[in-house]
Amino acid sequence: MSLLFSPLTIRSTTFRNRLWVSPMCMYSAVDGVAQEWHHTHLAQFASGGAGLIVAEATAVVPEGRISPRDLGLWDDAQRDALAPIVRAIHDRGAAAGIQLAHAGRKASTWWPWADERGSVPAAAGGWTTTAPSAVAYEGFAAPVALDAAGIDRVVDGFAAATRRALEAGFDVIEVHGAHGYLLHQFLSPLSNLREDEYGGSLENRARLLLRVVDAVREAAGEGVPVFVRISATDHAEGGFTPEEAATVGGWATARGADLIDVSSGGLVAHQRISVSPGYQVPLAETVRQGGRIPVSAVGLITAAAQAEQVLADGAADAIFAGREWLRDPHFALRAAHELDDEVAWPPQYERAHWR
């Protein structure tokens, strides 16, 4: 058996393989409620052999949405719309996860194919955004710095959304601490200029993330895997570093997180990223070795042999992919064939399963 298609058990969940679907925003929700698009989009990856499918960044409070078309999980109607999607994923043999998020100063923006760019004005359904400090992302409206009550509301929102996610049947909760969204904004000195207990030192900048991990773990109980996605570098001078990411990852796992999902970037418009196949894998390896913690790798991992080599090299414990799943929703079935590995095919597809 290949490493890529060996099972992985985390707490009470066993993933049938280590080739997973990254959360990818669809910008197709209505008032935070999942639509038929989400059902078809997510269930197809389970038919295609994925071990874990993580639903897109899902806002824990209304003002935490990236755009007005983002998923939410702050009320029961949103939970109820997600439940049949989870059942469809389970029926096809995969585990279901959800990424809980708050976009902070990058909220209230237009979806990618809208005619406009930047922040959505109030007259068009936008809202005032919040952040660790009143510093805008380039080209967006200025946010309001969160006070103590606002910070507590964020933590409570993650806990409440976790409970709803479990009621909907999700197996895995992922805390979104990457890509320039709120928890990442607190982590980075480029966006966090606070002078209280949430700013300054790395310990202070990580305080909100760790409070969220505590709240999510308490709400999830002991059996549910909790992941944390982080941007291991801001790709900008003076920003969050891989070494800091390893430290924070270690702190998060000590507080109850089970795996650090290592990505990068997204915090500032002036970032400079050199993109190539597997370009974020060294970051995952740094966090894994520096924090001595389980990690996943992501970022232009598009081929079976490439993914298998990442695991063989000890750079990561699992592989998240995005683009390749969009190109081929049966990526895992194809990858297993390329690695000469045997995996279960849906019986409806068996006629295509031949060597």
Side-chain angles (χ1 to χ4, degrees):
M1 179 179 289
S2 63
L3 293 173
L4 191 61
F5 288 95
S6 63
L8 175 65
T9 298
I10 301 177
R11 296 194 186 247
S12 62
T13 298
T14 296
F15 306 95
R16 61 183 175 183
N17 61 54
R18 303 176 188 228
L19 183 53
W20 299 346
V21 179
S22 280
M24 293 177 280
C25 290
M26 294 289 104
Y27 305 102
S28 299
V30 178
D31 295 327
V33 176
Q35 304 296 301
E36 177 60 29
W37 174 270
H38 298 90
H39 192 128
T40 303
H41 166 68
L42 293 169
Q44 67 179 338
F45 302 129
S47 297
L52 168 66
I53 299 152
V54 181
E56 66 192 73
T58 300
V60 300
V61 291
E63 65 272 21
R65 290 171 293 167
I66 302 167
S67 83
R69 294 190 175 189
D70 279 33
L71 283 182
L73 201 46
W74 64 81
D75 70 30
D76 291 349
Q78 296 160 347
R79 174 202 63 195
D80 295 345
L82 289 166
I85 299 174
V86 175
R87 289 195 296 271
I89 291 171
H90 287 163
D91 287 347
R92 291 160 174 80
I98 189 165
Q99 184 184 68
L100 301 182
H102 189 305
R105 69 180 188 173
K106 292 179 73 175
S108 189
T109 60
W110 295 100
W111 47 96
W113 57 88
D115 293 334
E116 298 85 354
R117 290 291 180 268
S119 297
V120 179
W127 56 90
T128 300
T129 61
T130 57
S133 305
V135 179
Y137 184 87
E138 184 178 332
F140 293 179
V144 174
L146 283 166
D147 59 14
I151 289 173
D152 289 345
R153 172 176 161 79
V154 169
V155 176
D156 292 343
F158 273 93
T162 297
R163 290 188 288 271
R164 287 193 176 93
L166 298 183
E167 290 166 359
F170 284 100
D171 307 291
V172 174
I173 306 297
E174 177 166 275
V175 174
H176 198 352
H179 301 163
Y181 300 125
L182 184 67
L183 300 182
H184 183 189
Q185 292 162 27
F186 270 85
L187 286 172
S188 176
L190 296 179
S191 50
N192 184 347
L193 309 182
R194 299 175 74 100
E195 297 180 351
D196 61 3
E197 67 270 30
Y198 291 95
S201 69
L202 180 61
E203 183 177 13
N204 283 355
R205 287 183 276 123
R207 191 178 305 277
L208 177 56
L209 173 65
L210 298 179
R211 283 191 61 190
V212 167
V213 170
D214 287 342
V216 168
R217 171 50 66 203
E218 181 177 2
E222 289 301 313
V224 176
V226 173
F227 297 175
V228 178
R229 173 165 275 195
I230 61 172
S231 282
T233 175
D234 291 335
H235 296 288
E237 186 176 353
F240 194 59
T241 69
E243 293 72 27
E244 289 180 320
T247 298
V248 172
W251 290 343
T253 55
R255 304 285 276 265
D258 299 295
L259 179 141
I260 306 301
D261 177 7
V262 182
S263 188
S264 71
L267 184 84
V268 291
H270 63 271
Q271 65 184 11
R272 293 291 180 266
I273 306 177
S274 178
V275 176
S276 60
Y279 70 103
Q280 294 178 147
V281 171
L283 298 172
E285 186 172 18
T286 295
V287 173
R288 187 175 192 261
Q289 294 181 352
R292 298 182 180 179
I293 50 179
V295 306
S296 58
V298 68
L300 288 183
I301 299 174
T302 60
Q306 177 194 18
E308 178 74 7
Q309 193 63 52
V310 171
L311 300 179
D313 290 343
D317 301 273
I319 303 296
F320 271 116
R323 292 173 179 84
E324 197 60 25
W325 282 107
L326 296 182
R327 297 182 185 112
D328 178 6
H330 305 109
F331 180 29
L333 300 182
R334 172 167 57 84
H337 179 83
E338 292 173 359
L339 293 174
D340 198 27
D341 209 334
E342 283 293 333
V343 298
W345 279 51
Q348 297 90 337
Y349 292 174
E350 277 290 348
R351 74 191 73 176
H353 183 200
W354 56 276
R355 301 241 184 259

